[in-house]
Amino acid sequence: MAAAFARATGTDPADAKDILSQYRKDTRVSIEDFANTVKAWIDRQVPNFRLNFFVDEVGQYIADNVKLMTNLQTIAESLNTKCKGQAWIIVTAQQAITEVVGDMTARQENDFSKIQARFAIRMPLNSADVAEVIQRRLLSKTDSAQIMLGNLHDKEENNLKTLFDFADGSIRLKNYRDREHFVASYPFPPYQYTLFQMAITSLSQHNAFEGKHSSVGERSMLGVFQEVAKTLADRPVGGLATFDLMFEGIRTALKSSVQQSVQIAERNLDDPFAVRVLKALFLVKYVKEFKPTVRNISVLLLSEFEADQAGQRRKIEDALARLERETYIQRNGEVYEFLTNEEKDVEAEIKALDVDPTEISKELETLAFDTILRHRKIKHLTTGFEYSFSRKLDDHLLGREYELSINIISPFNDDAAAPDAVRMRNMGREELAIVLQPDVRFIRDLTLFRQTDKFIRQSRSGSPQPGRDRIILEKGEQNSRRAKDLELRLRKLMAAARLFVRGDELDIGGDDPQDRVVKAFQALVDKVYVNLPMLRGVNYVEADIAKAASPTSTLFGEAGTGLTEAEQDVLNHIQSQARNGVKVSAKYLTERFGAKPYGWPTVATLCLTASLSGKGKCETRSDGTPLEGAELARALNNSHTLGNILLTPQLEFTSSQIRAAKDLYKELFGLPADGSDARVLGGEWAESIRKLADELSRLVTERYKYPFVAALEPLRDQVVAMVGKPAAWYITEPVNQEDALLNAKEDILDKIRSFMGGAQREIYDDVRDFLQAQEANIGYVDAAAGEKLRAALSDPDCYKGTAIQALKSDLYALKDKVELDVLKERKAVIAAVDECADKVAQTAEFQALTPEQQDKICRSVASHKAGLDAVTMIPILRDRANGARSSLMQQMLADIARMTQPPAPTPADPGMKERPAPAPRPPSYVNAADIKVAYPRPYLAEEADVDQYVNELRKTLMAEIAAGKKVIV
């Protein structure tokens, strides 16, 4: 630098050393000076001379520094002011200038608006412009080439619209317009200009390039297309530029971390085609409008017009499968996506998760039954009845089991590839088999869906990691789309599935799987429930039960027209069970005829049952009570009571049987029967037998009062055994027992009824009550008379004849005797008490008493006579009399002695050594009869014996007196 400066200025090179540093120190260039210098230079030029300044890549210069932007603004303003429009500034940038600056504050926005005003003329270079530049600058053709390419266009003209048409909901991109456009753009299909622009823009937005404001606009596309064109220079006419070649054009600008997956694939994969697929997916990763399906990827990699489309599609599918398997990409339904390093880590974690097979089965069940089929019951269109069905997946029951079932053979089942094996098993089953076609991708996608869902739920509990959380959020969105895709694909599988019922394949077309299943279910119902047509297509409702229960009902045809086929089947079953001794319940009938081969709805079976009862073909009871008409309808409409409603067939009887039953009824119950048919007459019999059994049981329970009613026990047992029988039983069976019944009625029951309802019962009750009340007295009065009465009551035939009537005189005769003797004994008690009182009153001790004390003694004597009128027992009265004679006087004298007892002597003074005199003891009394005389002989035989006994008696009496006792004689 110093040598060049010295040579130019003619100075010494040594003096020019560090000349640049010196100029930097000494030179101060301002925008104003720059503008003046430009103005001076223009003035030296020819008139109307204009000077243009070109600033390339201003975006990289400004970046997000607003100060640099304002400097550019000042230069533009100064040049405009000084040069009067003769100096222009033209800048280029890869992006819109607003995108370069990015977010701004309010003040920055105000400054930026001024800057934009300085650049009023804008010339955006869009993809169409860049395509034109590329075609003119890079792809210009020679005359011979134009002829060859023109002929190639004419040859392939009809294929161009389909070869480069993106499907599967992807963005629509430009195709060849005409022959001229084809020649100009060859070997690049027109879609590549727009798609590559979108690719590099989206990559830049995701910070894939080195430098924040790297060249990513239309102008940078020129270099990429130039490099691709060079690589195709030696290829023969007919070859096309594939989209993956664009990757090489931006490889050097990409961050190493971004393209690491591609580099690893290039080193490790031995399949160059798979690497090409990976590069193409990398380019379109962030282009959301583009759907990288197999079809669209095939368009991107189309290298020649004559390529084998089917073969290329297979190659792409194999490559995609390998890339997905080695976690370079991920698949979401039909769409494939390139994975970054972080995404690869997350994807690897997802695929490493273990998912229980039951979770996958549950998910498939939800998709198939809840989302697509959406039925718990399916209506049979012919009859209008709805039938529940079991859900089965690969022969495994899901939930509650019903007689009919829908069995989905999924791609997870080996039999999906062997429908004939399913057909063989289906022959003996009541199921609709839906055999889905084998689909390995569907299996993998469903498994991945469950793995991703499980991974997302587990990741919610971790600590925040912004980059990873963003990927997980995207995984959740992808999984939502995957769920919709799985549903759509399962719909297609079910729409194309083979359908089997009882081993027969059903030919049911249509694209709606729900409609196909409903139609196939009709065939299942028809094949399983072969007796369903017996109902004649009638749609029964609960209100019909009341109509059917009426004897005049026309629900099953006009009255008197007989039974329908369905009614006859129900009646036959009731009769067959009755022959086996089984009573059929209404609930049992609904279950029996609701199952194969009938399949009748519950309400239809109940209507038929009510109709049979209304027509008198069967008898209906609930808890022993007959049900007819409205009561029967109410009971049948209550599902909780169906198990208690029992049905028995109504037998047919001859007129002579009916007449015999009526005659016996009249004789046995004493009333004529109202019913003229077997059911009504049987009902009257049942009610009357029940009442008779109650009457007999009531009479027999009084056996403790009337022992003779025991004679009713055999009749009672016989009648009780007849209670609760079916109506038809009473028409024939009681007649067989006619003699026994009528004999018992006439000989026993009628007489006991007469006895219990007449005067004899009153006499019997009086005798029994008298004997019970006077049992203690009768033995003292007239034991023989009492025994006679007891014998009469104990007679088991006492209710017959006039035996009880004759007892009435004997009863009152004995009653008089007893009452008179009781009165006599009562007077004896009074006499004994009065005698004792008179003797006491004559004693000196009594007379020595004060009037109050005498009155007290008299009241004590009177108390012994109180209450005698209430005493009716002769033994008690006699005991009272003997007591008065033996102990009353002794008691009265003792009471008098206690009253006349002298006071105790006064105790001696303290200190005196004399002992106090004892207190006087009251005298004691003893009856002479109670004194035992010590006499050795048991009797007195002569005068000497009398003298000796008298002497001993005297000694004994004196001994008692000497002992201080007084002897009562």
Side-chain angles (χ1 to χ4, degrees):
M1 181 64 73
F5 181 80
R7 184 178 179 180
T9 58
T11 59
D12 186 359
D15 296 335
K17 188 179 181 181
D18 294 333
I19 188 64
L20 290 180
S21 300
Q22 188 64 36
Y23 270 106
R24 289 192 185 99
K25 294 179 181 178
D26 299 339
T27 303
R28 295 291 184 269
V29 180
S30 65
I31 294 176
E32 184 73 18
D33 294 338
F34 173 73
N36 291 330
T37 302
V38 172
K39 171 62 176 171
W41 191 85
I42 291 176
D43 290 342
R44 293 196 297 268
Q45 309 305 316
V46 298
N48 297 323
F49 180 83
R50 296 180 183 278
L51 178 62
N52 294 332
F53 292 93
F54 292 89
V55 184
D56 193 19
E57 295 294 355
V58 71
Q60 297 185 49
Y61 168 70
I62 294 173
D64 54 0
N65 192 333
V66 179
K67 182 179 180 182
L68 296 179
M69 179 65 81
T70 56
N71 288 344
L72 182 61
Q73 174 195 355
T74 305
I75 293 173
E77 290 175 346
S78 299
L79 289 177
N80 184 53
T81 302
K82 299 292 185 181
C83 301
K84 306 300 183 183
Q86 288 182 284
W88 285 69
I89 299 178
I90 300 173
V91 300
T92 65
Q94 293 293 324
Q95 299 164 276
I97 198 166
T98 53
E99 297 178 4
V100 172
V101 177
D103 297 335
M104 297 175 290
T105 63
R107 180 176 178 181
Q108 288 173 333
E109 286 182 357
N110 183 49
D111 294 340
F112 187 66
S113 64
K114 296 177 181 179
I115 296 169
Q116 286 184 305
R118 302 298 176 263
F119 297 90
I121 300 174
R122 298 181 180 84
M123 295 181 291
L125 185 64
N126 56 33
S127 59
D129 299 324
V130 75
E132 184 177 358
V133 173
I134 291 172
Q135 292 165 8
R136 292 188 178 184
R137 292 281 303 276
L138 302 179
L139 305 177
S140 61
K141 312 296 190 301
T142 63
D143 292 340
S144 59
Q146 290 182 15
I147 293 174
M148 294 177 65
L149 292 175
N151 292 334
L152 179 62
H153 172 269
D154 295 342
K155 177 183 177 182
E156 302 292 342
E157 182 177 8
N158 294 330
N159 298 327
L160 294 179
K161 291 184 179 180
T162 57
L163 286 176
F164 303 105
D165 183 31
F166 294 102
D168 303 323
S170 185
I171 185 174
R172 296 189 65 83
L173 298 173
K174 291 182 179 179
N175 204 334
Y176 292 109
R177 294 192 303 271
D178 49 33
R179 175 175 178 157
E180 181 181 353
H181 186 213
F182 177 84
V183 173
S185 183
Y186 182 85
F188 295 100
Y191 76 84
Q192 293 187 353
Y193 304 111
T194 304
L195 184 59
F196 183 64
Q197 178 196 11
M198 298 170 67
I200 60 177
T201 301
S202 60
L203 286 170
S204 176
Q205 291 172 347
H206 286 78
N207 200 23
F209 294 103
E210 297 285 357
K212 185 174 182 181
H213 298 281
S214 297
S215 176
V216 295
E218 284 77 0
R219 194 171 61 83
S220 63
M221 295 169 56
L222 298 175
V224 175
F225 276 82
Q226 184 179 22
E227 293 297 327
V228 175
K230 288 180 180 179
T231 61
L232 299 175
D234 297 332
R235 296 187 63 177
V237 175
L240 293 171
T242 55
F243 193 69
D244 63 288
L245 296 175
M246 303 294 175
F247 178 83
E248 300 301 328
I250 63 172
R251 180 193 287 270
T252 57
L254 292 171
K255 290 182 177 180
S256 59
S257 60
V258 173
Q259 58 177 317
Q260 185 177 6
S261 294
V262 177
Q263 294 170 347
I264 293 173
E266 289 175 332
R267 290 194 300 269
N268 297 333
L269 292 180
D270 56 359
D271 184 358
F273 187 79
V275 177
R276 290 179 57 199
V277 173
L278 184 63
K279 291 177 180 178
L281 289 175
F282 171 83
L283 291 172
V284 298
K285 174 175 175 57
Y286 300 113
V287 182
K288 301 302 181 185
E289 300 84 356
F290 185 80
K291 306 297 181 187
T293 61
V294 174
R295 167 74 176 84
N296 293 340
I297 295 173
S298 179
V299 175
L300 296 181
L301 298 180
L302 184 63
S303 59
E304 55 186 20
F305 292 104
E306 301 297 335
D308 180 6
Q309 297 289 331
Q312 175 164 315
R313 184 181 181 91
R314 287 193 296 271
K315 286 179 62 178
I316 292 174
E317 290 175 346
D318 294 340
L320 289 171
R322 181 172 183 181
L323 292 172
E324 182 185 6
R325 190 166 57 250
E326 300 187 21
T327 326
Y328 288 102
I329 64 173
Q330 69 175 4
R331 180 173 54 82
N332 191 7
E334 301 295 329
V335 177
Y336 295 84
E337 182 180 353
F338 179 87
L339 292 176
T340 65
N341 288 338
E342 289 184 347
E343 290 172 339
K344 286 175 63 177
D345 293 340
V346 172
E347 186 72 8
E349 290 182 42
I350 290 174
K351 291 183 177 179
L353 283 176
D354 289 331
V355 178
D356 195 302
T358 58
E359 295 183 34
I360 299 176
S361 297
K362 181 63 178 177
E363 192 65 40
L364 186 55
E365 175 197 358
T366 302
L367 278 174
F369 288 104
D370 295 335
T371 305
I372 297 177
L373 189 55
R374 300 201 310 274
H375 288 299
R376 289 285 180 176
K377 295 181 178 181
I378 296 180
K379 179 182 288 187
H380 186 239
L381 301 179
T382 304
T383 59
F385 305 144
E386 290 187 341
Y387 293 94
S388 299
F389 58 88
S390 302
R391 294 179 170 193
K392 289 185 178 180
L393 183 64
D394 295 330
D395 291 328
H396 295 294
L397 179 65
L398 307 171
R400 186 174 177 182
E401 185 172 14
Y402 298 93
E403 191 166 51
L404 303 180
S405 62
I406 294 179
N407 185 14
I408 297 179
I409 306 300
S410 74
F412 287 89
N413 196 310
D414 295 338
D415 288 341
D420 288 336
V422 178
R423 181 207 299 266
M424 295 298 294
R425 289 199 306 269
N426 182 256
M427 284 184 177
R429 296 181 178 180
E430 291 73 43
E431 70 175 24
L432 165 62
I434 304 175
V435 185
L436 305 185
Q437 296 177 355
D439 192 333
V440 177
R441 286 181 53 192
F442 179 82
I443 296 173
R444 289 204 302 263
D445 283 358
L446 185 60
T447 304
L448 183 59
F449 172 79
R450 290 303 309 162
Q451 288 174 321
T452 305
D453 183 68
K454 184 176 182 180
F455 176 80
I456 292 172
R457 285 187 279 107
Q458 291 178 351
S459 300
R460 290 172 182 166
S461 59
S463 57
Q465 301 179 44
R468 183 180 174 87
D469 292 346
R470 176 187 58 78
I471 294 173
I472 294 174
L473 181 62
E474 291 175 355
K475 290 292 182 184
E477 295 173 354
Q478 292 170 0
N479 219 35
S480 298
R481 294 193 295 272
R482 183 178 290 115
K484 294 179 181 178
D485 179 70
L486 285 169
E487 178 189 343
L488 180 61
R489 288 161 61 187
L490 184 58
R491 284 183 182 275
K492 292 180 180 178
L493 286 173
M494 293 181 67
R498 297 178 68 177
L499 307 175
F500 298 98
V501 171
R502 288 288 178 92
D504 295 332
E505 184 169 5
L506 305 180
D507 184 14
I508 299 176
D511 296 329
D512 186 354
Q514 185 186 80
D515 185 57
R516 290 192 75 214
V517 172
V518 170
K519 289 179 180 178
F521 196 82
Q522 310 301 309
L524 176 65
V525 173
D526 292 338
K527 285 180 177 291
V528 174
Y529 299 138
V530 294
N531 289 346
L532 191 59
M534 287 185 181
L535 298 180
R536 302 177 181 177
V538 179
N539 190 2
Y540 295 97
V541 295
E542 290 185 355
D544 293 333
I545 298 177
K547 299 177 183 177
S550 172
T552 59
S553 171
T554 59
L555 184 64
F556 297 95
E558 297 297 328
T561 57
L563 300 180
T564 64
E565 185 181 10
E567 288 177 310
Q568 189 63 54
D569 253 38
V570 176
L571 181 59
N572 290 342
H573 188 73
I574 295 174
Q575 291 173 340
S576 66
Q577 293 296 311
R579 285 193 292 271
N580 296 328
V582 178
K583 291 184 178 180
V584 177
S585 69
K587 182 178 181 181
Y588 170 80
L589 288 178
T590 60
E591 294 172 351
R592 172 68 182 85
F593 289 95
K596 63 179 181 179
Y598 295 93
W600 297 349
T602 297
V603 65
T605 304
L606 294 178
C607 284
L608 294 169
T609 303
S611 177
L612 290 173
S613 179
K615 292 179 178 180
K617 299 300 180 180
C618 65
E619 183 181 27
T620 309
R621 288 177 173 270
S622 178
D623 297 329
T625 304
L627 297 176
E628 295 179 356
E631 291 184 358
L632 174 60
R634 281 194 297 271
L636 291 176
N637 273 306
N638 185 351
S639 60
H640 299 291
T641 62
L642 293 180
N644 296 331
I645 300 175
L646 302 179
L647 298 101
T648 52
Q650 187 73 53
L651 301 178
E652 299 294 335
F653 301 99
T654 63
S655 57
S656 60
Q657 288 176 311
I658 297 295
R659 185 169 57 254
K662 292 184 70 173
D663 293 343
L664 177 58
Y665 182 93
K666 183 177 181 180
E667 292 184 39
L668 183 60
F669 302 114
L671 295 171
D674 296 329
S676 57
D677 61 2
R679 185 176 59 170
V680 177
L681 179 59
E684 291 184 72
W685 259 98
E687 180 62 20
S688 297
I689 281 291
R690 184 188 62 79
K691 292 180 179 178
L692 178 59
D694 291 343
E695 178 188 5
L696 292 171
S697 298
R698 186 174 60 254
L699 289 171
V700 170
T701 56
E702 296 191 64
R703 183 172 52 187
Y704 71 97
K705 292 194 298 184
Y706 308 103
F708 57 86
V709 297
L712 289 173
E713 288 184 352
L715 178 61
R716 187 271 315 269
D717 296 339
Q718 184 179 10
V719 172
V720 168
M722 299 169 66
V723 174
K725 300 294 184 181
W729 187 89
Y730 294 105
I731 305 301
T732 57
E733 295 303 320
V735 174
N736 297 333
Q737 307 175 42
E738 179 176 3
D739 292 341
L741 289 172
L742 294 181
N743 290 339
K745 175 181 179 294
E746 295 171 0
D747 296 343
I748 302 174
L749 179 58
D750 288 347
K751 290 181 171 58
I752 290 180
R753 282 174 172 169
S754 175
F755 179 93
M756 301 297 283
Q760 288 182 318
R761 177 178 179 176
E762 295 180 2
I763 297 172
Y764 189 97
D765 290 342
D766 290 342
V767 173
R768 184 191 63 242
D769 294 342
F770 176 76
L771 291 176
Q772 290 176 351
Q774 302 298 331
E775 183 178 6
N777 296 334
I778 292 175
Y780 292 94
V781 178
D782 190 345
E787 190 60 33
K788 180 181 179 181
L789 293 177
R790 289 190 188 93
L793 295 184
S794 301
D795 183 5
D797 296 327
C798 65
Y799 58 92
K800 300 178 180 179
T802 59
I804 296 300
Q805 186 70 32
L807 289 180
K808 189 172 184 180
S809 58
D810 296 338
L811 169 66
Y812 282 103
L814 181 58
K815 190 175 183 181
D816 290 343
K817 289 181 180 181
V818 170
E819 291 179 353
L820 290 174
D821 278 10
V822 169
L823 179 60
K824 174 183 174 183
E825 295 296 335
R826 193 177 288 131
K827 291 179 178 180
V829 174
I830 295 173
V833 173
D834 290 343
E835 180 183 0
C836 180
D838 292 342
K839 290 181 179 180
V840 171
Q842 295 175 6
T843 61
E845 290 87 346
F846 178 80
Q847 294 179 2
L849 296 176
T850 63
E852 292 78 7
Q853 292 174 331
Q854 290 179 355
D855 184 61
K856 185 176 181 181
I857 295 298
C858 290
R859 288 198 304 275
S860 175
V861 172
S863 66
H864 287 274
K865 296 186 292 183
L868 287 176
D869 292 339
V871 179
T872 59
M873 296 297 177
I874 293 175
I876 296 176
L877 290 173
R878 289 184 178 181
D879 185 68
R880 292 278 291 272
N882 293 332
R885 297 188 189 101
S886 61
S887 60
L888 180 58
M889 180 174 290
Q890 181 179 352
Q891 177 185 347
M892 294 173 61
L893 291 175
D895 291 340
I896 293 172
R898 281 193 295 272
M899 293 178 183
T900 58
Q901 183 178 357
T906 303
D909 293 336
M912 298 295 291
K913 294 185 179 181
E914 294 181 6
R915 299 179 64 182
R921 297 176 61 185
S924 61
Y925 297 90
V926 62
N927 286 320
D930 297 333
I931 297 174
K932 301 297 181 181
V933 179
Y935 183 71
R937 300 181 65 179
Y939 55 87
L940 301 176
E942 53 189 20
E943 182 178 358
D945 294 336
V946 173
D947 292 340
Q948 183 181 359
Y949 178 78
V950 170
N951 290 332
E952 290 298 327
L953 176 61
R954 183 175 183 281
K955 290 178 183 179
T956 302
L957 293 175
M958 292 303 295
E960 293 293 334
I961 293 172
K965 298 179 180 179
K966 295 183 179 181
V967 180
I968 300 173
V969 294

